[in-house]
Amino acid sequence: MTVDVPSWAAEAAGELPRPLLFATVSGAHLYGFASVDSDLDLRAAHLLPATEVVGLRTGPDTLQHTGVRDGVELDVVSHDLLKFARLLNSRNGYVLEQVLSPLVVVTTPVHAELVSLAPRLVTRHHAHHYLGFAATQERLYAQTGKLKPALYTLRVLLTGSHLMRTGRLETDLGELGKSLAYVPDLIVAKREAEHGPMPPGTAERLAVDVPRLRADLEEARNASTLPDQPDPAAVDALHNLVVRTRLA
C-alpha cells in the first residue's frame, strides 16, 4: 500500500493533551480508496498518569480533536492505554486495525509490544464485528445508493473473510477485491470525489455479490481455525504491559 500521509500528521496527533503511545492512519487511506478530499483519520492510544487513574479526579480515557489543516479535514481520536487494551482484548475490529495499521505516524516501544500481542488476541468472534459493520454500511447504501457505503460494505466483508481464513489482517480493498473485476473502477471513482456517483452497472453487481460475500464470511467464521478465546498468555502479557507502563 502506497499512501501519501501529510508530513504534519505526527504533529497534529501530538496536539492531544496527553503523551501518545502510538498514532496511525485509519479510514479511507488505510482501506485504499482515499479521495482527493478525504478526511485524515488518525487513531491513537495515550497514557494517563497514575494520579489521573487512582484518585477521585480521573483523566479522560478518550480524547478527540477535529479541525482543518492545509485544507484537509482532520479527525484524531485516542484512547487511554487501559481502555485501548480492554477493547483490543475483545472482538473489536476497529482497534485491531488501528494498532496493526501499516500507516504509522507516531510509535513507541509500547506500540511495538501491542503490535506483537495483537495477533494472539484474534478469535473467530471477530467475525461478529465485521458482519455487524457490514450490515450497517449495507443499510446506508440501500438508503442512499452512494458509492462510499458500497465500498465500505465490500471492504469490511472481505477483510473479515480474510481474517477468518488466514488469521492475518488485510484492509486494502485493492488487494482484497482482486477477484471482483469492477472494484478498481469503484476505487478510481472514489479517489476522484469523496461523494462521487456510482459507476454504471455497479448496483446490479453489488446486489449479487454482497449477499454472497456475507455468506462467505459466515462460512469462513464457521470453518475458521482461529480460537474461541484470546491466548491466555497474551492476555496476561497485555495486563502486565498496562501495569508496567502506567507505573513507569
Side-chain angles (χ1 to χ4, degrees):
M1 176 189 300
T2 302
V3 177
D4 292 327
V5 177
S7 59
W8 45 257
E11 181 182 344
E15 291 176 358
L16 292 175
R18 296 294 186 282
L20 295 183
L21 299 169
F22 77 85
T24 59
V25 178
S26 186
H29 291 83
L30 178 61
Y31 307 147
F33 48 75
S35 66
V36 292
D37 51 352
S38 282
D39 299 352
L40 181 65
D41 297 314
L42 299 179
R43 298 295 179 261
H46 62 274
L47 185 68
L48 293 174
T51 54
E52 293 188 0
V53 176
V54 300
L56 294 177
R57 292 181 289 275
T58 57
D61 61 3
T62 297
L63 297 167
Q64 184 168 12
H65 168 69
T66 59
V68 178
R69 184 157 181 171
D70 289 355
V72 177
E73 290 190 35
L74 182 67
D75 181 38
V76 188
V77 179
S78 178
H79 298 311
D80 173 61
L81 177 60
L82 175 58
K83 181 175 182 178
F84 191 90
R86 285 173 171 162
L87 291 170
L88 188 61
N89 189 37
S90 68
R91 60 191 190 194
N92 192 304
Y94 294 117
V95 296
L96 183 68
E97 293 176 4
Q98 291 163 20
V99 75
L100 294 179
S101 170
L103 305 176
V104 179
V105 297
V106 175
T107 190
T108 65
V110 174
H111 178 218
E113 289 192 55
L114 290 170
V115 169
S116 69
L117 289 173
R120 296 164 59 193
L121 301 170
V122 175
T123 73
R124 69 171 64 240
H125 300 299
H126 277 76
H128 295 295
H129 165 87
Y130 289 101
L131 286 166
F133 189 7
T136 300
Q137 292 300 313
E138 190 178 353
R139 286 193 297 271
L140 184 58
Y141 169 68
Q143 293 167 3
T144 66
K146 290 185 176 180
L147 174 60
K148 186 173 180 178
L151 282 168
Y152 270 81
T153 301
L154 293 174
R155 197 288 297 180
V156 169
L157 291 172
L158 290 167
T159 291
S161 292
H162 188 273
L163 183 63
M164 290 299 104
R165 289 199 166 92
T166 68
R168 298 190 304 274
L169 188 68
E170 176 59 68
T171 59
D172 186 348
L173 183 59
E175 291 295 321
L176 293 163
K178 288 182 175 179
S179 64
L180 302 174
Y182 58 93
V183 162
D185 291 336
L186 296 185
I187 292 175
V188 168
K190 172 65 166 55
R191 286 176 175 169
E192 290 177 349
E194 178 73 6
H195 301 288
M198 185 77 71
T202 303
E204 293 78 8
R205 293 180 173 183
L206 289 171
V208 173
D209 285 337
V210 168
R212 177 180 61 81
L213 292 173
R214 188 190 315 112
D216 186 58
L217 173 50
E218 292 170 344
E219 179 183 343
R221 174 199 60 198
N222 295 339
S224 180
T225 59
L226 289 170
D228 286 324
Q229 299 294 332
D231 178 355
V235 177
D236 288 344
L238 184 61
H239 166 80
N240 291 334
L241 175 61
V242 173
V243 173
R244 172 166 35 92
T245 305
R246 183 85 74 205
L247 294 181

